[in-house]
Amino acid sequence: MLYINCPHCGMRSQNEFSYGGDATVKRPVLNKEVSDQEWDDFVYNRKSLRGKHLELWQHISGCRQWIKVERDTATHEIFRTFKADEEVA
Amino acid sequence: MQKYSIFNLVKNAFSNHENWDLAWKDPTPKEQYDVVIIGGGGHGLATAYYLAKEHNITNVAIIEKGWIGGGNVGRNTTIIRSNYMHDENGLFSEFGMDLWRKMSQDLNYNVMFSPRGIINLAHSDAQMNAYARRGNSMRLNGIDAVLLNREQVKEIIPMADFSENVRFPIFGGLMQPSAGTARHDAVAWGYARQADSMGVDIIQNCEVTGFDVVAGKIKGIRTSRGNIKAKKVGICVAGSTNILAEKLNMTLPIETHLLQACVSEPVKPVLDNVVTFGAGHFYVSQSDKGEMVMGGDLDGYNSYAQRGNLPTLQHVLTEGIAMMPFLSKLKMLRTWGGIMDMSMDGSPIIDKTHIEGLYLNCGWCYGGFKATPASGWTFAHTIAQDRVHELNAGYSLNRFSTGNLIDEKGLGTKTWIS
């Protein structure tokens, strides 16, 4: 069981959350021509590495906010959590 | 190589079975190979075997980080089927079914292929219609499919929940009678033994640490046991695909996820088919030892852990008990996990890459084991001929950017929106 520290609600169990994937993916800016490759990278291509991974979760059975979680994909250790609009240093 | 036969078994009995040859050797890596296959799982071993058998390329090495049969080929739930709707998947998998039927004779190794049939249960009229459509598509591709009504399903699996007040009543099901199971370790060992006998070097405990690429062409690989030159390199590493891709500065439409399976204590024979629950994601079969072999959903978040988390297991088994209530009486014997190369459309990739001489085989999601022979056969063809075979033409790497995705219900990484 993962325990995720929701920045809005505090420590809650994994069952209350839904996973949302890589949080570092950036949607292409739409006020310019966007190439197929850029769309491809945004929609499909992922690094998905072993080790630290910044990812989105939604506290779906709690405050329903999207949050960012920094987690190790090999050990499942959770280092830090952030609000969705918080910049991650 | 000693043939495995009743004659040799009797003969070796007189020397207490102490004089059998090793099934495969433990060679030190040579300086150079014509083809290096990275990954000594089922697909890698099968690729090396078909390179030698079909294309007469025997100066081949398999580089394996761990040991033969220690990855997903020894962690799956051994299901073999070709019940796909789309041509790309159906024709590819049915080609594989032919190889499965001949495999024990072909490899001189009993892989215990057991074509016991698979039943996908339907729990609504809409699902029955969808199964009728899929069954028709399968039959057009020469794959056997039988649409069963509720009574017919009840005759085959009377232990499923046919009571009146269930949340997901069984309306019927789609059966592929020729589908089944096989002994997964034997598949790895059988391919390894034959590949070794034809001159393939199986190099275990050897991790790939980098690639030598010069002017867009592959020259060799760097490993924990020294550099190895190679004219061609095939990557076949399932859950480690993203790690090797990063060393090549490639970003792939693949995420690495964790999939769990479990077996119960062994019980008397009760279930002689593979059965899947249609209102969720759960499947079950009974092994020859009597254990109920079960599996279902991904854990749901990127993972390299090779071990599972209990909430998912609980969720999966809840579905199992809804389908077959007697499962709740069984004690769980073992649970385990494997790391899956989940592609974004749920179908695999067997293709060339932008680097000359480098080939990619990945994205097997939930269905890697059944694809072992067809994957090895087509990957060997792609490497040997430097062009894809028509069977794996649909499994291209660029289908994501060109929009030619395979719209099978294969479930990619985004299980949370399914």
Side-chain angles (χ1 to χ4, degrees):
Chain A
M1 178 80 81
L2 301 179
Y3 288 97
I4 300 173
N5 189 11
C6 173
H8 307 282
C9 313
M11 195 66 87
R12 298 297 177 90
S13 74
Q14 167 194 348
N15 308 29
E16 295 188 11
F17 294 84
S18 167
Y19 185 65
D22 193 333
T24 63
V25 177
K26 288 258 187 298
R27 187 185 173 92
V29 183
L30 287 179
N31 58 5
K32 66 167 181 85
E33 188 65 26
V34 181
S35 70
D36 286 357
Q37 185 60 48
E38 283 174 278
W39 278 124
D40 208 20
D41 285 341
F42 169 62
V43 181
Y44 299 118
N45 292 337
R46 297 289 180 269
K47 283 213 174 305
S48 187
L49 293 177
R50 185 188 176 95
K52 270 192 187 175
H53 189 246
L54 190 68
E55 55 203 19
L56 292 168
W57 289 77
Q58 190 186 10
H59 196 182
I60 199 150
S61 306
C63 61
R64 300 193 63 80
Q65 295 294 310
W66 284 91
I67 61 167
K68 290 182 201 164
V69 176
E70 188 184 48
R71 184 181 61 91
D72 192 305
T73 58
T75 64
H76 294 172
E77 183 182 353
I78 292 173
F79 304 103
R80 296 182 293 174
T81 56
F82 308 87
K83 292 176 183 168
D85 57 354
E86 238 176 298
E87 282 300 318
V88 180
Chain B
M1 186 184 68
Q2 278 169 312
K3 197 169 155 50
Y4 290 162
S5 64
I6 184 74
F7 174 73
N8 269 331
L9 192 65
V10 172
K11 195 177 97 179
N12 278 279
F14 290 110
S15 52
N16 294 321
H17 295 289
E18 284 168 0
N19 296 322
W20 286 101
D21 289 346
L22 286 177
W24 55 87
K25 297 178 281 293
D26 183 22
T28 35
K30 289 193 281 189
E31 241 179 56
Q32 183 166 3
Y33 289 96
D34 291 339
V35 179
V36 165
I37 305 292
I38 305 172
H43 292 213
L45 293 163
T47 304
Y49 169 69
Y50 291 113
L51 275 172
K53 185 181 174 227
E54 304 286 337
H55 305 278
N56 214 17
I57 300 173
T58 55
N59 186 22
V60 176
I62 293 171
I63 308 294
E64 167 56 45
K65 179 173 67 175
W67 67 96
I68 299 301
N72 292 347
V73 72
R75 292 167 185 265
N76 57 76
T77 45
T78 78
I79 297 165
I80 293 160
R81 58 190 177 85
S82 60
N83 54 357
Y84 286 101
M85 186 165 83
H86 287 271
D87 291 353
E88 293 91 341
N89 290 325
L91 296 172
F92 178 89
S93 303
E94 186 56 19
F95 176 79
M97 292 301 294
D98 275 338
L99 295 175
W100 279 113
R101 287 175 202 119
K102 297 183 286 203
M103 190 179 287
S104 290
Q105 286 72 32
D106 189 28
L107 298 180
N108 178 229
Y109 205 105
N110 186 4
V111 299
M112 298 163 74
F113 176 54
S114 160
R116 57 183 67 183
I118 186 168
I119 301 171
N120 301 134
L121 293 180
H123 307 274
S124 67
D125 281 331
Q127 206 167 12
M128 284 299 284
N129 288 343
Y131 280 172
R133 183 178 174 220
R134 173 144 66 97
N136 285 333
S137 298
M138 287 165 62
R139 292 170 74 131
L140 285 172
N141 279 332
I143 305 163
D144 55 328
V146 184
L147 193 66
L148 306 171
N149 62 27
R150 181 178 162 96
E151 281 64 43
Q152 288 166 314
V153 173
K154 194 172 182 178
E155 208 157 284
I156 301 172
I157 46 167
M159 75 299 274
D161 195 346
F162 286 93
S163 53
E164 293 302 319
N165 296 317
V166 293
R167 172 68 183 83
F168 299 107
I170 294 167
F171 275 56
L174 182 65
M175 184 174 190
Q176 184 191 4
S178 69
T181 61
R183 172 96 167 97
H184 50 190
D185 301 309
V187 175
W189 299 334
Y191 274 123
R193 174 167 162 271
Q194 284 294 341
D196 176 89
S197 78
M198 290 190 284
V200 172
D201 281 357
I202 298 172
I203 299 159
Q204 303 179 71
N205 299 308
C206 178
E207 185 170 358
V208 172
T209 55
F211 295 85
D212 287 319
V213 180
V214 182
K217 199 174 177 336
I218 195 88
K219 295 288 178 192
I221 58 167
R222 280 169 253 159
T223 77
S224 56
R225 292 172 69 176
N227 294 354
I228 299 171
K229 286 184 199 147
K231 291 178 190 154
K232 292 177 176 181
V233 173
I235 297 179
C236 223
V237 294
S240 300
T241 304
N242 287 111
I243 295 175
L244 288 190
E246 205 221 2
K247 296 183 198 300
L248 288 157
N249 287 322
M250 289 169 78
T251 321
L252 297 172
I254 300 280
E255 266 183 20
T256 305
H257 282 257
L258 177 74
L259 183 61
Q260 296 192 65
C262 56
V263 294
S264 74
E265 60 187 326
V267 288
K268 291 259 172 79
V270 59
L271 179 65
D272 56 1
N273 307 100
V274 183
V275 182
T276 74
F277 184 53
H281 194 178
F282 172 84
Y283 51 85
V284 60
S285 65
Q286 189 170 21
S287 76
D288 295 335
K289 287 180 282 184
E291 303 154 329
M292 306 304 288
V293 186
M294 298 170 279
D297 270 325
L298 294 177
D299 271 27
Y301 43 83
N302 296 40
S303 175
Y304 283 88
Q306 285 192 315
R307 60 184 158 70
N309 219 335
L310 283 176
T312 305
L313 203 58
Q314 188 176 29
H315 170 75
V316 166
L317 291 173
T318 305
E319 294 177 16
I321 290 165
M323 184 175 93
M324 289 183 179
F326 82 96
L327 293 174
S328 70
K329 305 281 184 204
L330 301 179
K331 292 184 185 71
M332 205 56 71
L333 198 64
R334 293 191 310 276
T335 78
W336 66 94
I339 50 173
M340 304 291 124
D341 37 337
M342 302 302 295
S343 71
M344 294 292 165
D345 66 351
S347 289
I349 295 162
I350 307 177
D351 204 356
K352 298 159 68 167
T353 64
H354 68 286
I355 296 166
E356 198 185 325
L358 184 76
Y359 305 86
L360 188 62
N361 180 336
C362 63
W364 290 99
C365 300
Y366 301 91
F369 176 68
K370 66 160 188 303
T372 304
S375 162
W377 196 93
T378 53
F379 198 39
H381 180 278
T382 305
I383 293 171
Q385 313 275 332
D386 193 38
R387 63 186 164 83
V388 296
H389 189 270
E390 60 180 23
L391 284 169
N392 62 315
Y395 293 160
S396 64
L397 179 55
N398 71 1
R399 71 175 183 269
F400 299 90
S401 54
T402 57
N404 290 311
L405 277 76
I406 301 171
D407 188 21
E408 190 84 50
K409 197 204 166 200
L411 296 184
T413 61
K414 295 181 173 63
T415 51
W416 65 89
I417 54 172
S418 66

